[in-house]
Amino acid sequence: MYTQSFNVPDTSDDTKSAGLKAVARPPTEAETALQARFDAKVDADEKVEPKDWMPEAYRKTLVRQISQHAHSEIVGMLPEGNWISRAPSLKRKAILIAKVQDEGGHGLYLYSAAETLGTSRDQMLDALHSGKAKYSSIFNYPTLNWADVGVVGWLVDGAAIMNQIPLCRCSYGPYARAMIRVCKEESFHQRQGYEALLVMMRGTAEQRAMVQDAVNRFWWKCLAMFGPPDNDSPHSAQGMRWGIKRISNDDLRQKFIDATVPQAKVLGVTLPDPDLRWNEERQHYDHGAIDWDEFWATVNGNGPCNKERLATRVKAHNDGQWVRDAAMAHARKQQQRTLQEAA
Amino acid sequence: MSSNPNSPAPALKEWPLWEVFVRSKQGLEHKHCGSLHASDAQHALQMARDVYTRRQEGVSIWVVPSATIAASDPGDKGEFFEPAADKIYRHPTFYDIPDEVGHM
């Protein structure tokens, strides 16, 4: 359910670029030829595969983007996981468990895709747990009540789908294939959320107010998830050139708004933007200004739940250490037993 | 990584990597669908079921240690596959035959 189509420099990158940098030597003739072949492949819309030559910056960008994406799926399990034990019915509980399990699965597909670029699972987890690596900011907001769970499905996963569909055509093969798998499963996430809200809207006045309140709290945060405006996204052009990014942040955001406004009408809620109106000339909805200061404050660690999310994630990892150790010990013992029998 | 099957495996910090192949339907071949970390083959099979077949995507799974897969070098693609390129007589379309003969 990741939706940040831009990718934020991890803290480690910041420190590196702040330090001394080796002066790059001019590329050799062989490297120029490899670069030309790589560019031609990307231009022809062919896929780059793990063993193919690729520019170091392309590899680095992908490792960062795919691992941030994976971290987002894993941390994304937490706000909804909170509601598994408090779901209003057995049916909703089963649905929510399945959804949260999917998010875990999506994280695993993505970690595997990142590993094909030469990073290890341990390195990526260390980066997440030490706070060096970023994940999608939307998960640093709390899910206060059951309506929030529905809204996360409808809007957060809806935004995720918008962002992830173009990634299915990403130039890096393993990432594109992982995204195809993710997108196939994501549609259920969005629909279950919308349906849960529909049920609440047919309920009491109090339930309807809960839905409206949840929409009010999440709407702007969902719009911010598409990343900074195009004229403020310095890396977008390079991402487009490499075939990693296909559609600009603002275009995706517009697509999301245009698709969501009619859905809100069917549901019977208002979107909390007085400037939201149809523009006949553009054939799109106009919208009000997004509060980017709040967005960056959350990205930089000062959202309402940043500390809690990370602490929960680290605790889960540490609490599972004995399981991982036991599995390794068991595998070793089995292998030794087989060797002894063979001897 | 040790390739000698008789030497005990060194103590790994991370679960080793496995490639997962899934047969989607009886009668079809197993197809590569991704990879995962697991402590041993049995564990890898159970993980593969949970990670790659949550929606009845498979009726059978193979897992193979990633380290044991030998792959052709993409850099040698040209030379490696070239011998087949100029043998167009291997294709039925190479042969010009009167229409009334039809296809077998």
Side-chain angles (χ1 to χ4, degrees):
Chain A
M1 71 153 67
Y2 168 86
T3 60
Q4 231 155 256
S5 77
F6 78 123
N7 84 69
V8 190
D10 289 337
T11 316
S12 57
D13 299 334
D14 291 346
T15 39
K16 249 182 234 153
S17 57
L20 286 177
K21 244 194 246 170
V23 178
R25 62 174 171 74
T28 64
E29 207 172 298
E31 282 167 346
T32 312
L34 287 167
Q35 177 73 49
R37 207 180 306 159
F38 172 86
D39 290 341
K41 185 179 276 187
V42 169
D43 288 342
D45 249 341
E46 284 175 32
K47 296 287 180 228
V48 178
E49 295 296 338
K51 288 189 162 182
D52 294 341
W53 183 89
M54 62 187 87
E56 257 330 286
Y58 175 83
R59 184 186 297 275
K60 231 179 116 180
T61 299
L62 277 172
V63 166
R64 192 171 62 198
Q65 178 168 336
I66 301 172
S67 61
Q68 282 181 7
H69 194 161
H71 299 330
S72 303
E73 301 284 354
I74 299 299
V75 177
M77 297 164 82
L78 302 176
E80 291 179 294
N82 275 344
W83 283 90
I84 289 176
S85 61
R86 289 174 286 170
S89 67
L90 183 58
K91 173 183 150 188
R92 294 289 165 196
K93 184 172 181 163
I95 291 170
L96 192 56
I97 290 173
K99 179 180 190 299
V100 172
Q101 191 192 12
D102 273 357
E103 307 297 1
H106 296 175
L108 295 179
Y109 307 154
L110 287 159
Y111 281 132
S112 292
E115 281 170 80
T116 64
L117 291 158
T119 180
S120 77
R121 185 75 56 104
D122 278 350
Q123 277 174 313
M124 288 187 279
L125 291 181
D126 281 349
L128 172 65
H129 296 158
S130 65
K132 265 198 297 193
K134 305 280 190 205
Y135 55 86
S136 185
S137 278
I138 194 74
F139 306 122
N140 287 321
Y141 296 100
T143 41
L144 300 177
N145 58 48
W146 180 251
D148 286 22
V149 176
V151 168
V152 165
W154 173 37
L155 295 180
V156 176
D157 288 287
I161 292 170
M162 285 288 171
N163 249 324
Q164 290 177 148
I165 285 174
L167 286 173
C168 296
R169 292 184 292 122
C170 166
S171 59
Y172 189 58
Y175 192 25
R177 291 191 286 273
M179 290 321 299
I180 291 171
R181 208 167 258 290
V182 168
C183 284
K184 269 189 198 159
E185 298 179 351
E186 202 77 56
S187 164
F188 136 65
H189 297 180
Q190 196 256 358
R191 289 172 72 97
Q192 65 81 33
Y194 192 82
E195 194 232 23
L197 296 176
L198 269 178
V199 170
M200 288 184 80
M201 291 302 284
R202 290 190 208 115
T204 63
E206 208 182 349
Q207 284 175 304
R208 283 192 290 278
M210 267 173 80
V211 174
Q212 183 63 58
D213 166 64
V215 170
N216 291 349
R217 281 181 288 109
F218 275 95
W219 174 249
W220 289 104
K221 294 167 180 66
C222 289
L223 295 190
M225 287 162 61
F226 291 91
D230 293 345
N231 51 22
D232 202 14
S233 310
H235 302 303
S236 278
Q238 182 64 76
M240 294 264 188
R241 177 65 192 87
W242 278 333
I244 297 174
K245 199 181 175 76
R246 297 285 182 174
I247 305 180
S248 81
N249 295 353
D250 285 335
D251 286 351
L252 276 174
R253 187 167 15 245
Q254 184 71 61
K255 254 176 102 139
F256 173 72
I257 295 169
D258 291 347
T260 307
V261 172
Q263 294 173 359
K265 199 171 287 172
V266 174
L267 192 59
V269 294
T270 48
L271 298 171
D273 179 359
D275 298 323
L276 188 70
R277 64 178 61 87
W278 179 250
N279 183 324
E280 190 58 41
E281 199 183 315
R282 289 200 313 128
Q283 290 290 301
H284 288 295
Y285 283 93
D286 290 338
H287 64 89
I290 296 166
D291 181 354
W292 291 109
D293 291 342
E294 195 215 317
F295 171 77
W296 285 114
T298 309
V299 168
N300 292 322
N302 300 315
C305 300
N306 295 52
K307 289 194 180 68
E308 185 195 324
R309 296 289 186 241
L310 204 54
T312 308
R313 173 62 211 147
V314 169
K315 183 177 184 301
H317 186 73
N318 291 344
D319 287 353
Q321 186 63 48
W322 71 271
V323 180
R324 293 190 296 277
D325 291 344
M328 283 312 291
H330 176 74
R332 238 184 342 261
K333 206 161 89 183
Q334 290 298 316
Q335 196 194 21
Q336 271 156 10
R337 196 168 291 166
T338 316
L339 288 174
Q340 272 162 15
E341 277 166 17
Chain B
M1 188 165 302
S2 164
S3 56
N4 181 357
N6 291 324
S7 64
L12 292 168
K13 213 175 138 254
E14 210 173 51
W15 288 344
L17 192 63
W18 302 76
E19 298 302 319
V20 180
F21 299 79
V22 171
R23 183 201 292 281
S24 59
K25 219 164 70 179
Q26 213 56 51
L28 294 182
E29 70 276 48
H30 286 76
K31 246 177 95 176
H32 183 247
C33 73
S35 54
L36 50 76
H37 289 273
S39 58
D40 61 20
Q42 204 52 44
H43 187 209
L45 279 173
Q46 282 183 3
M47 301 280 265
R49 180 201 60 190
D50 293 345
V51 177
Y52 291 105
T53 62
R54 287 194 301 281
R55 289 177 175 78
Q56 299 176 289
E57 288 96 337
V59 293
S60 162
I61 298 175
W62 290 347
V63 289
V64 180
S66 305
T68 62
I69 290 185
S72 63
D73 182 349
D76 296 342
K77 195 169 69 179
E79 300 93 294
F80 196 66
F81 293 103
E82 187 277 334
D86 59 355
K87 295 178 179 60
I88 49 171
Y89 46 82
R90 284 188 166 145
H91 297 278
T93 46
F94 179 74
Y95 301 93
D96 214 0
I97 283 176
D99 284 349
E100 59 265 38
V101 177
H103 295 282
M104 290 293 263

